Amino acid sequence: MVLVFAESPRGQFKKSAFEAVTYGKKVADMMGVACEVLTLGTVQDAAQLGKYGASKVLNIADTAYNDFDSQEQAAAIADVAKSRGATVIILSHSSTGKSISGRVAIRLDAGLVSGANALPTISGGAFTVTKGVFSGKAIAEYAITSPIKVVSLMGNAVKPEVSGQPAHVENITTSAAKGRIRVKSVKTQEGTVPLPEAEIVVSAGRGMKGPENWGIVEDLAKTLNATTACSRPVADSHWRPHHEHVGQTGIAIRPNLYIAIGISGAIQHLAGVNNSKVIVVINKDSEAPFFKAADYGVVGDLFEIVPRLTDAFKKFKANQ
Amino acid sequence: MKLLVCISQTPDTTAKVSFNNDGTDFNAAGVQFIMNPYDEWYALVRACELSEATGGKVTALNVGPATNETVIRKALAIGADDAVRIDADPKSAAYTARQIAEYARSQGYDIIFFGKETIDYNGSEVGAMVAEYLDLPYVSYASKLDLNGSVAMLEREIEGGIETLEVDLPCVISAAKGMAEQRIPNMKGIMTSRSKPLSVVPPVAYDEPVKATKFTLPPAKAGVKLVSPDNMDELVRLLHEEAKII
Ligand SMILES: Cc1cc2nc3c(=O)[nH]c(=O)nc-3n(C[C@H](O)[C@H](O)[C@H](O)COP(=O)(O)OP(=O)(O)OC[C@H]3O[C@@H](n4cnc5c(N)ncnc54)[C@H](O)[C@@H]3O)c2cc1C
């Protein structure tokens, strides 16, 4: 059996949970087994996970699981994996997943591959999974040789696919021990898609000259329903918040479309973004290294080009 | 306050990545090695600050061969009081975690620090594994850490936001941007780093459940298609009709 842990921050599933279930279902099909999904705490509409391939959803409704606690969550996942006889456990390679996957692997004496970027290859007894390494500069293939396998899935690596009907939700009644972690508050930016999940990212660098000029970047992002990002010096100079910093020492992303505005394309920047499906570079310097990593390029002054591009997208949308 | 900072050695961020032996080994020829930036900039510096403020002791630990001692000495120059090298050439996060846990188990550290991930194998695995071996609470991607008696007050990065938490000591954390500012070792640090104790510990036997079998480079881009800055309608058309992403 394949067991997927579907994360539900503040009771809601995000895209990463649907991706994990879709992935789990495909792995289960390859192995000819069922895909069951575990949810923890108070969750809204757990049955919908059936649409992405869960044959059954197991929920431990104890409200102690509503907040982040890597230890208690990992213990619950490992216990359910054992009692249901799961041989493959799938989690999201999210901020919470990163706190949990390693713990689950140790509890189950299992090999872990974190941040998988594609489906595994399963043949005979061999189970191999690929992931990006060297911050996207290379791809590694890992063989998991233990009987139980844990895989955490990189965001945007697979597309959520609806393949079935809402599932039956079975409540399991075990309860969490009193943990040693207490969540005090959560601050989220409402209304924007977090960078790791974003399908379109509009990113800008030092070519913007100063934070007061970001209006044209935000207009473009708004037109595309995109999330904004920036290069490291931009975040370091406090032109933009730190959570927008992408690259080797920032967030690594793999959106469908990455639009780079006034960014030179230093190796450390490219490392975090070169897994994007399509890259558009706008830079006045035709020799900027970023053009080598780009699919489409526009050589010229960003202050003229970006508003023009926004207008073109608006026109395109109006005609759709 | 006893603090342990686990440091990793990684290729420099500008290193050209290539592989030997049919793509099974990283080609280290001509590559400069550095301390993994998250371990150095955030985990180590914050541990040093806390120890300086409360009168504690910071130990830097590396699982690696003797050639890693330059990086270990740098940790001592930045401010660690002593260092431990577990004498092995780790090939996986699981192996590294097992070695660290076996060593740390009997040492009574109040906080064990990691960087949020290494910039080579990008695992983000070791901290969670060590925490599980030692039955300790673990918070990854912590961007802020203060102490209030025997409680750590933390902020951690979550998707699209920040979570504020309290964690009972002892605990394990992984450090992200925001926790501290990079420190350049000063002359005194560099001088004293040479005489600070560095002990070498043998590894414990461990069978790895995961093995890297092959490395490849991503397929090269076909080449950039340039669009006239005066014709953004054309760029939109290409993104729609050719790239099919809008
Ligand atoms: C250890 C280490 C880690 C690092 N990690 C990261 C990381 O994670 N992420 C990251 O981004 N960087 C990182 N860096 C920094 C990286 O090396 C570069 O310095 C940085 O990416 C450059 O940012 P930039 O492209 O915004 O600025 P610049 O390199 O200054 O480039 C600005 C670009 O804007 C263009 N431009 C200027 N004006 C205009 C205009 N009017 N119209 C159009 N184009 C214009 C210029 O031609 C230029 O190409 C790291 C560096 C080190 C040493």
Side-chain angles (χ1 to χ4, degrees):
Chain A
M1 194 264 283
V2 172
L3 180 70
V4 178
F5 171 54
E7 255 177 59
S8 50
R10 292 162 296 291
Q12 308 274 350
F13 300 110
K14 304 215 286 177
K15 195 173 90 183
S16 56
F18 305 135
E19 290 172 351
V21 177
T22 301
Y23 186 90
K25 165 69 175 159
K26 287 178 189 259
V27 175
D29 284 348
M30 292 165 88
M31 299 170 58
V33 297
C35 169
E36 297 186 1
V37 177
L38 173 66
T39 61
L40 291 176
T42 315
V43 284
Q44 261 173 39
D45 191 10
Q48 64 176 311
L49 298 173
K51 293 193 282 185
Y52 299 93
S55 62
K56 182 194 270 182
V57 177
L58 310 161
N59 177 243
I60 308 181
D62 188 339
T63 54
Y65 291 115
N66 286 5
D67 286 330
F68 168 80
D69 185 333
S70 59
Q71 207 167 9
E72 297 309 320
Q73 287 164 318
I77 296 165
D79 286 351
V80 170
K82 270 187 207 151
S83 67
R84 312 286 303 183
T87 53
V88 176
I89 294 96
I90 311 289
L91 302 97
S92 300
H93 194 55
S94 59
S95 56
T96 293
K98 287 167 189 170
S99 279
I100 295 176
S101 311
R103 304 197 76 125
V104 171
I106 298 302
R107 287 189 88 96
L108 296 173
D109 257 327
L112 163 66
V113 171
S114 62
N117 63 4
L119 283 169
T121 310
I122 306 170
S123 80
F127 187 105
T128 56
V129 202
T130 57
K131 64 172 278 190
V133 289
F134 296 95
S135 310
K137 291 180 203 167
I139 298 153
E141 185 183 280
Y142 287 94
I144 309 182
T145 51
S146 50
I148 298 179
K149 294 143 178 89
V150 181
V151 175
S152 75
L153 179 66
M154 195 74 175
N156 283 353
V158 296
K159 254 196 161 15
E161 268 173 40
V162 172
S163 59
Q165 298 299 314
H168 171 67
V169 180
E170 181 180 318
N171 284 300
I172 309 179
T173 44
T174 57
S175 46
K178 194 173 153 357
R180 288 174 275 177
I181 296 182
R182 292 167 295 281
V183 173
K184 292 287 158 185
S185 65
V186 179
K187 265 185 294 179
T188 51
Q189 300 107 31
E190 293 305 326
T192 54
V193 183
L195 267 178
E197 294 165 25
E199 292 183 1
I200 304 183
V201 173
V202 175
S203 186
R206 275 218 302 231
M208 294 296 296
K209 307 280 187 290
E212 66 282 5
N213 297 327
W214 243 263
I216 53 171
V217 172
E218 278 164 356
D219 283 347
L220 175 58
K222 211 147 120 220
T223 307
L224 287 170
N225 268 332
T227 302
T228 49
C230 69
S231 67
R232 178 171 159 214
V234 163
D236 283 354
S237 322
H238 304 289
W239 293 3
R240 298 296 293 176
H242 279 313
H243 64 78
E244 284 198 1
H245 161 194
V246 291
Q248 183 154 22
T249 52
I251 299 175
I253 53 172
R254 44 186 307 142
N256 285 333
L257 175 60
Y258 184 74
I259 304 181
I261 301 166
I263 302 176
S264 57
I267 190 166
Q268 297 96 349
H269 184 87
L270 294 181
V273 305
N274 61 2
N275 277 316
S276 309
K277 275 203 195 79
V278 173
I279 296 180
V280 173
V281 169
I282 300 172
N283 198 304
K284 67 175 182 189
D285 172 10
S286 63
E287 301 290 306
F290 219 144
F291 285 115
K292 290 205 179 68
D295 299 280
Y296 301 100
V298 187
V299 180
D301 184 359
L302 68 90
F303 294 102
E304 289 168 16
I305 293 168
V306 174
R308 242 180 252 156
L309 181 58
T310 306
D311 287 343
F313 277 124
K314 278 189 182 148
K315 208 163 82 192
F316 168 80
K317 279 196 151 173
N319 292 333
Q320 279 290 292
Chain B
M1 172 121 312
K2 276 186 81 173
L3 306 173
L4 180 70
V5 183
C6 301
I7 58 170
S8 173
Q9 170 168 297
T10 60
D12 176 55
T13 54
T14 58
K16 201 155 168 55
V17 172
S18 64
F19 302 94
N20 285 336
N21 300 333
D22 227 13
T24 50
D25 276 330
F26 178 69
N27 178 7
V31 171
Q32 291 265 7
F33 286 90
I34 58 169
M35 198 184 318
N36 183 47
Y38 302 111
D39 308 353
E40 177 187 330
W41 301 346
Y42 311 127
L44 176 62
V45 173
R46 189 63 191 138
C48 291
E49 288 170 355
L50 289 175
S51 135
E52 285 153 13
T54 60
K57 182 174 165 198
V58 177
T59 300
L61 180 150
N62 174 256
V63 184
T67 44
N68 287 13
E69 289 195 1
T70 315
V71 156
I72 300 174
R73 289 283 171 205
K74 184 172 185 195
L76 294 170
I78 288 171
D81 298 287
D82 62 8
V84 176
R85 181 172 66 79
I86 299 177
D87 190 22
D89 194 2
K91 292 276 184 256
S92 70
Y95 181 91
T96 309
R98 180 58 178 270
Q99 303 306 328
I100 295 171
E102 287 307 319
Y103 178 80
R105 196 181 292 284
S106 58
Q107 301 285 329
Y109 294 113
D110 295 291
I111 308 177
I112 302 178
F113 290 81
F114 293 85
K116 72 169 188 184
E117 67 175 22
T118 55
I119 62 170
D120 49 9
Y121 297 101
N122 308 106
S124 245
E125 298 170 20
V126 182
M129 290 177 171
V130 169
E132 189 58 42
Y133 277 125
L134 302 179
D135 191 24
L136 294 176
Y138 175 57
V139 176
S140 58
Y141 283 60
S143 51
K144 196 163 185 253
L145 163 63
D146 287 302
L147 292 177
N148 183 2
S150 60
V151 176
M153 324 279 282
L154 290 158
E155 284 184 6
R156 100 175 156 112
E157 293 173 4
I158 55 171
E159 282 70 23
I162 293 282
E163 192 168 79
T164 308
L165 333 108
E166 283 181 8
V167 182
D168 297 338
L169 299 187
C171 69
V172 180
I173 63 138
S174 83
K177 187 169 185 168
M179 182 172 283
E181 294 286 335
Q182 185 180 1
R183 246 191 213 184
I184 311 293
N186 59 24
M187 208 50 199
K188 182 166 164 257
I190 294 168
M191 299 301 287
T192 54
S193 74
R194 293 186 196 145
S195 52
K196 285 179 179 172
L198 191 173
S199 48
V200 178
V201 176
V204 294
Y206 176 66
D207 259 347
E208 290 163 281
V210 175
K211 281 194 180 63
T213 44
K214 195 168 180 61
F215 295 98
T216 48
L217 297 176
K221 287 263 175 187
V224 60
K225 194 175 255 185
L226 290 180
V227 179
S228 156
D230 299 320
N231 196 355
M232 286 302 99
D233 290 332
E234 172 64 3
L235 179 56
V236 172
R237 188 192 69 78
L238 288 167
L239 291 173
H240 178 59
E241 289 176 12
E242 190 177 81
K244 297 189 170 60
I245 39 157
I246 56 159

